[in-house]
Amino acid sequence: MRPSGRNTDKMRAVSFERNVSKHAEGSCLVKFGDTHVLCTASLEERVPPWLRNGGKGWVTAEYGMLPRATGDRMRREATAGKQGGRTLEIQRLIGRSLRAVVDLKELGERQITVDCDVIQADGGTRTAAITGAWIALHDCLKWMEARAMVRTERVLKDHVAAVSCGIFASQPVIDLDYLEDSAAETDANFVMTGSGGIVEIQGTAEAEPFTQEQLLELMELAKNGIAELVTMQKDVVAGPL
Amino acid sequence: MRPSGRNTDKMRAVSFERNVSKHAEGSCLVKFGDTHVLCTASLEERVPPWLRNGGKGWVTAEYGMLPRATGDRMRREATAGKQGGRTLEIQRLIGRSLRAVVDLKELGERQITVDCDVIQADGGTRTAAITGAWIALHDCLKWMEARAMVRTERVLKDHVAAVSCGIFASQPVIDLDYLEDSAAETDANFVMTGSGGIVEIQGTAEAEPFTQEQLLELMELAKNGIAELVTMQKDVVAGPL
Amino acid sequence: MRPSGRNTDKMRAVSFERNVSKHAEGSCLVKFGDTHVLCTASLEERVPPWLRNGGKGWVTAEYGMLPRATGDRMRREATAGKQGGRTLEIQRLIGRSLRAVVDLKELGERQITVDCDVIQADGGTRTAAITGAWIALHDCLKWMEARAMVRTERVLKDHVAAVSCGIFASQPVIDLDYLEDSAAETDANFVMTGSGGIVEIQGTAEAEPFTQEQLLELMELAKNGIAELVTMQKDVVAGPL
Amino acid sequence: MRPSGRNTDKMRAVSFERNVSKHAEGSCLVKFGDTHVLCTASLEERVPPWLRNGGKGWVTAEYGMLPRATGDRMRREATAGKQGGRTLEIQRLIGRSLRAVVDLKELGERQITVDCDVIQADGGTRTAAITGAWIALHDCLKWMEARAMVRTERVLKDHVAAVSCGIFASQPVIDLDYLEDSAAETDANFVMTGSGGIVEIQGTAEAEPFTQEQLLELMELAKNGIAELVTMQKDVVAGPL
Amino acid sequence: MRPSGRNTDKMRAVSFERNVSKHAEGSCLVKFGDTHVLCTASLEERVPPWLRNGGKGWVTAEYGMLPRATGDRMRREATAGKQGGRTLEIQRLIGRSLRAVVDLKELGERQITVDCDVIQADGGTRTAAITGAWIALHDCLKWMEARAMVRTERVLKDHVAAVSCGIFASQPVIDLDYLEDSAAETDANFVMTGSGGIVEIQGTAEAEPFTQEQLLELMELAKNGIAELVTMQKDVVAGPL
Amino acid sequence: MRPSGRNTDKMRAVSFERNVSKHAEGSCLVKFGDTHVLCTASLEERVPPWLRNGGKGWVTAEYGMLPRATGDRMRREATAGKQGGRTLEIQRLIGRSLRAVVDLKELGERQITVDCDVIQADGGTRTAAITGAWIALHDCLKWMEARAMVRTERVLKDHVAAVSCGIFASQPVIDLDYLEDSAAETDANFVMTGSGGIVEIQGTAEAEPFTQEQLLELMELAKNGIAELVTMQKDVVAGPL
């Protein structure tokens, strides 16, 4: 029995609120249950130095957490003087995940930075962030398309979404909340495209090592969950902004 | 004529949404028009080293802005490696303003940190932050009162609220939005208590020096505006959480 | 009765020693009683990146304190790895105050940095710094004028000087020293021009909120004090370098 | 055809040199071909603050690269002022991998830090580091056992080793060197125990998303490779120090 | 011919002004010509962690330069975020030099920090700093002696003073100013005690390597110069504070 | 009697292993007994900003220590966020020593950075580093000569080598190991050229001040030791790479 009472293959209530920022070219407030992440896509007409004059653009991500997004207040990274290892790891993952479905040449020499800021955390912030960041990126490209800068479907080759799965009380379960995550024996994050390709898989044994069979069970859950998320993304972007 | 079309003595639409955080002991999403600040109050059962064993508590504040809260994306302070001068100045102001209406002895040896994070900025973030922070602090004290830790009305001696006023197109106006703020000749922030006492006044000549008469005109606007804000605070905390 | 024995409207002994630096284009050691601040103005033939090719110059300030300028030794900011919030706040204030009386177009694409380093502190370091920085800036411009680079009176449109006032033992008093400052109920810093315009006003309730009447009493003291300081500045720069 | 001429399932020459440090309680210079990592295990009789008085110990890792370990000289992280995201990610992985086979209660309230410093890099530094770190940790425990502090086999429950696999020129291959790594379509790192349990799996699509079938092919290669590495570890620690 | 017109064995005008700080337990403004260094000694009733409960005290030094102490304005180390290599090297040298003549046991478990801040630089700042720091330290001990905390002559076993010598235009010369220092072929700093013992010698070939004979010539100059400095120190501390 | 049993004028076993890095243009693993330093020379076709377009090159050095190079594990400088004072002092010394024998004009507008990383420390790391760095620099120049970029003997005008000497148990001894270094009364580092010129001399009294006679005794030891080191350097570079 999961603390949340959910079935093992049941994700939390997922929602996407688009266009939540007065300023950003694309934005999305994504909720996976009580995990709320604000994703904003910012366009700049310049690329990092190492890409200049190469005819290619860049998509990158930054990740942050408000100090009291969590149960105990965490020290603000700006006062600590640096981003922690976990933050850097997550924002590198989000960036790679987005770039996996972007044609950087079609983007042209521009950079889009997707900021994923966790307003409230209850487990699965990185998977919610990736899933919401895709919406923000999509809407940024639509904004550019309206100005004849790019063709969205040429830049954005596919959907990308993510979910965490884990072994909790010896059962493979999907979309762990904080309580489940803290007690899980194994924790795995899956990032997949709309066409079912795997972009990233990160599995970690928290207590005991896990087996290939368990990994495949988790992947089965993830495939279905991500398919659901992609369907939701499609519905959302089909609607009015 | 103000860009916003408002009368010179008309504040923007102000709203307070309480209890917006699953985790914080007190929280408030305050909106002054398009300026949105999330205020969370976090209780800790310890005080800074220099206060230990003195029988007094501490109330402090931290301030931050999401990178795309503004028209152009700003660098994340966590990647810059430090909080900027403007950030430090604002969070010191918020802290002083709150402490002006708190009896630290009645609080006991505990610290309350109010984080004010700007989700969206359109001028007046510091005044919105102070006004919303009071609600978050109040609700944190109520949370403590429910656990028999303090008596709210003994700790929180009065209301505190803030508004900016300025001289725009030669007219004294209240509650400047970003467009007005950028073009104002003089900009002043007022922090006052519910009983009309002045807690802090900061006036700056952006272009030409200003006169005492102009300062008094701005103060007159501020007094009325802050009285309105305090009335709203009273209504809000009188309602259910 | 003030600890210093001064009348409520009596400033400390103020002196300006010009040309105290072998290297700086303009310099002044300003003393407000036991508060001693060394101000040096340094000319550079370049402006910050965001001003380039705009035909305008820039005047900025930096503020520091020697570790043992104070009663207890303070940690050196260079070893702490950053300037503290108070330092940043003060140096931003000094810079704004100077720019309020400078025509940046007349300066041309050059930057003048006024360093204000507190050699000894006894309250009122920021107001002494502003008042002395004006002398250093003036002498730097004279140095430039001697080289046919600018016309001083075109760049420097007016005097600027500053003084702190506060309510001490229920009495409005001017130019608080450290003992008074520590015990003041209200503390306000005024920055005004030679023609009596207000450049900056910062009032803070240290204990109880203050009233508009009290603020006006403090301002009355400040006006007179700043008029005295401006007269002294005039005398000083009328003399030989 | 691999640039190295190796068969797809052929690892590079692997060697372990134990006891390479005069000072460390355990040490190992591990080589995976031209990738050379110096692993030293350092014992301290104290644990991090959050573990104190809990009766448990801690095993952690740090990772670094000499500036010219790579083809182009990289900036020294000590001069950059912080460890980069990649470094933090890798050292967190090494620490988790070692802790997966350690009984922290049996270790007692002590900390072992395994430093993994890359002397020369040619791809696969993190997998070589994990594999060599196990030897250094083992020898540190033996050192402690010789002083009657622990029983090695009680603390160290199993072997742990790691290898990278990837899809290169459409072929699944094991133990990628730098040339292969740079051109691989998919890159996955596997960390497994001596008994075949999975401790960590990290798969990343560098170009196109990959399929579950491909992941399983990579895992098959990894299983065999890690089994070889574990056999080598056993041989090595069975020999004299 | 030296730019300064001095004879090769002629030091610049040296002066010591004691008791220049209202706050410090001991202080001295030392001038070697146009090089002016403010030295303040601060007493604290605690020692660094690694000395606690050992019955010994500590004497340490910090060194800084005001930004416009030099011909071109240098970046403030507090804004650079760290002390530079030259600064660290010099403050370590000053600390070692002072400790060479202090009996740390006689000091008791206390720390004296001597801050040496260069107000104006014209070559030889480190040697002036050491020579003036001795006065500040002496006067701090006298302050303590007046409070029956120590016996000065038991703590301070000897004088210490320093001078730079160098080979300028093929001639060994003493006490180089900035012009000479910039053009010197060899530069050496000597730190010696009142009884003629060598505490520290640092010689550097700026252009061509130098010979042992040249080093001995420099040392001969240094011995005489330091003897003069020690005589001046004696005169100064024999006078009234 | 020295702890090592060596005669007072007997250096430790010294060895140089060239070409130890797959990537660096020149490299050398130098051993002075149990002190092992890896020196790599990296060529870049650019110079620091302040040298641009001056027709001259630059040679610089960086120094680091692996955390467990020492008896107790030291904190990694990359996690401390900066290089310590000792590190900066040593790398400045290595750079100066190398530049003393290099003709920067003959090098052309290029920079060679010699990284000296201490793999294992047992006293004398800086002198071993200088002596080995010369080999790495030489081999880097040979690499360039093979590509017709420079003529080695024109760039590298002489040998440079270094050794420490000290007074241990009242006896002047050469090449102190850690045990001797910790207990030495006086410690001096000598850097000399192949032709016997002095490049740098740094002598420090650790306990009692020392005399000129003692300094000359140490220098006598150093001259002979450095002559031996230079002979070894000559033999080594005369051999095959």
Side-chain angles (χ1 to χ4, degrees), chain C residues 22 25 68 73 76 115, chain E residues 25 68 73 76 115:
Chain C
K22 176 188 174 76
E25 284 75 27
R68 195 56 196 280
R73 184 179 185 272
R76 196 175 281 270
D115 286 287
Chain E
E25 283 75 27
R68 195 58 194 279
R73 184 179 184 273
R76 196 175 282 269
D115 286 286

Side-chain angles (χ1 to χ4, degrees), chain C residues 20-25 34 38 40-43 62-64 66-71 73 76-79 81-83 113 115-117 119-122, chain E residues 20-25 34 38 40-43 62-64 66-71 73 76-79 81-83 113 115-117 119-122:
Chain C
V20 291
S21 160
K22 176 188 174 76
H23 302 298
E25 284 75 27
D34 282 334
L38 178 59
T40 58
S42 297
L43 173 68
E62 291 196 7
Y63 173 91
L66 297 193
R68 195 56 196 280
T70 46
R73 184 179 185 272
R76 196 175 281 270
E77 289 186 324
T79 69
K82 60 179 176 185
Q83 295 181 299
T113 302
D115 286 287
C116 299
D117 285 274
I119 304 298
Q120 187 173 277
D122 187 35
Chain E
V20 292
S21 160
K22 176 190 174 75
H23 302 298
E25 283 75 27
D34 283 334
L38 178 59
T40 58
S42 298
L43 172 67
E62 292 196 6
Y63 174 90
L66 297 193
R68 195 58 194 279
T70 46
R73 184 179 184 273
R76 196 175 282 269
E77 289 187 323
T79 70
K82 60 179 175 185
Q83 295 180 300
T113 302
D115 286 286
C116 299
D117 285 275
I119 304 298
Q120 188 173 275
D122 186 36

Side-chain angles (χ1 to χ4, degrees), chain E:
Chain E
M1 198 60 168
R2 304 177 69 172
S4 58
R6 284 184 279 144
N7 285 346
T8 57
D9 63 349
K10 178 75 178 165
M11 284 192 295
R12 293 173 285 182
V14 171
S15 69
F16 303 94
E17 190 180 350
R18 288 162 81 193
N19 202 15
V20 292
S21 160
K22 176 190 174 75
H23 302 298
E25 283 75 27
S27 62
C28 176
L29 176 62
V30 59
K31 300 186 180 176
F32 277 32
D34 283 334
T35 289
H36 303 175
V37 185
L38 178 59
C39 307
T40 58
S42 298
L43 172 67
E44 285 171 298
E45 287 290 335
R46 56 181 190 74
V47 287
W50 45 275
L51 269 185
R52 271 177 209 153
N53 304 317
K56 288 172 57 180
W58 192 241
V59 172
T60 187
E62 292 196 6
Y63 174 90
M65 257 202 191
L66 297 193
R68 195 58 194 279
T70 46
D72 291 316
R73 184 179 184 273
M74 295 182 313
R75 189 175 178 194
R76 196 175 282 269
E77 289 187 323
T79 70
K82 60 179 175 185
Q83 295 180 300
R86 181 183 168 279
T87 294
L88 291 167
E89 200 170 311
I90 293 175
Q91 72 188 17
R92 285 155 56 94
L93 170 64
I94 302 170
R96 280 199 308 272
S97 298
L98 295 175
R99 286 192 298 274
V101 293
V102 167
D103 185 323
L104 295 171
K105 278 210 182 111
E106 286 287 338
L107 178 56
E109 282 208 30
R110 302 169 173 116
Q111 174 166 291
I112 299 175
T113 302
V114 185
D115 286 286
C116 299
D117 285 275
V118 180
I119 304 298
Q120 188 173 275
D122 186 36
T125 63
R126 80 187 70 188
T127 51
I130 290 166
T131 310
W134 186 90
I135 302 279
L137 176 60
H138 171 276
D139 286 356
C140 176
L141 291 168
K142 282 288 180 192
W143 184 95
M144 293 166 74
E145 186 170 304
R147 283 151 189 82
M149 299 163 80
V150 294
R151 292 276 292 282
T152 301
E153 73 272 23
R154 285 206 188 154
V155 181
L156 200 58
K157 302 176 296 180
D158 202 344
H159 284 252
V160 74
V163 77
S164 75
C165 296
I167 298 174
F168 174 80
S170 309
Q171 291 279 329
V173 299
I174 194 167
D175 191 24
L176 292 75
D177 59 29
Y178 179 74
L179 271 184
E180 294 166 344
D181 194 35
S182 313
E185 291 124 43
T186 287
D187 181 23
N189 291 295
F190 296 86
V191 185
M192 294 184 186
T193 63
S195 44
I198 307 172
V199 167
E200 187 100 22
I201 172 171
Q202 296 186 337
T204 301
E206 300 289 343
E208 292 301 302
F210 55 96
T211 64
Q212 181 169 320
E213 291 64 40
Q214 289 175 312
L215 181 67
L216 291 177
E217 286 175 330
L218 297 179
M219 195 178 295
E220 198 57 33
L221 285 172
K223 272 185 208 169
N224 294 330
I226 288 173
E228 280 183 55
L229 291 169
V230 168
T231 301
M232 280 187 256
Q233 286 177 337
K234 285 180 180 166
D235 289 351
V236 164
V237 301
L241 192 63

Side-chain angles (χ1 to χ4, degrees), chain D residues 25 68 73 76 115, chain F residues 22 25 68 73 76 115:
Chain D
E25 284 75 26
R68 196 56 196 279
R73 183 178 184 274
R76 196 175 282 270
D115 286 287
Chain F
K22 176 190 174 75
E25 284 75 26
R68 194 58 195 280
R73 184 179 184 273
R76 195 175 282 269
D115 286 287

Side-chain angles (χ1 to χ4, degrees), chain D residues 20-25 34 36 38 40-44 62-73 75-83 91 113-117 119-122, chain F residues 20-25 34 36 38 40-44 62-73 75-83 91 113-117 119-122:
Chain D
V20 291
S21 160
K22 176 190 175 74
H23 302 297
E25 284 75 26
D34 282 334
H36 303 175
L38 178 59
T40 57
S42 297
L43 173 68
E44 285 171 297
E62 292 196 7
Y63 173 91
M65 259 201 188
L66 296 193
R68 196 56 196 279
T70 45
D72 291 317
R73 183 178 184 274
R75 188 175 180 194
R76 196 175 282 270
E77 288 186 325
T79 69
K82 61 178 175 185
Q83 296 181 299
Q91 72 188 18
T113 303
V114 184
D115 286 287
C116 298
D117 284 275
I119 304 298
Q120 188 173 275
D122 187 35
Chain F
V20 291
S21 159
K22 176 190 174 75
H23 302 298
E25 284 75 26
D34 282 334
H36 302 175
L38 178 59
T40 58
S42 297
L43 173 67
E44 285 171 299
E62 292 196 6
Y63 173 90
M65 258 201 190
L66 297 194
R68 194 58 195 280
T70 45
D72 290 318
R73 184 179 184 273
R75 189 175 179 195
R76 195 175 282 269
E77 289 187 323
T79 69
K82 60 179 176 186
Q83 295 180 298
Q91 71 188 17
T113 303
V114 184
D115 286 287
C116 299
D117 284 275
I119 304 297
Q120 189 173 276
D122 187 35

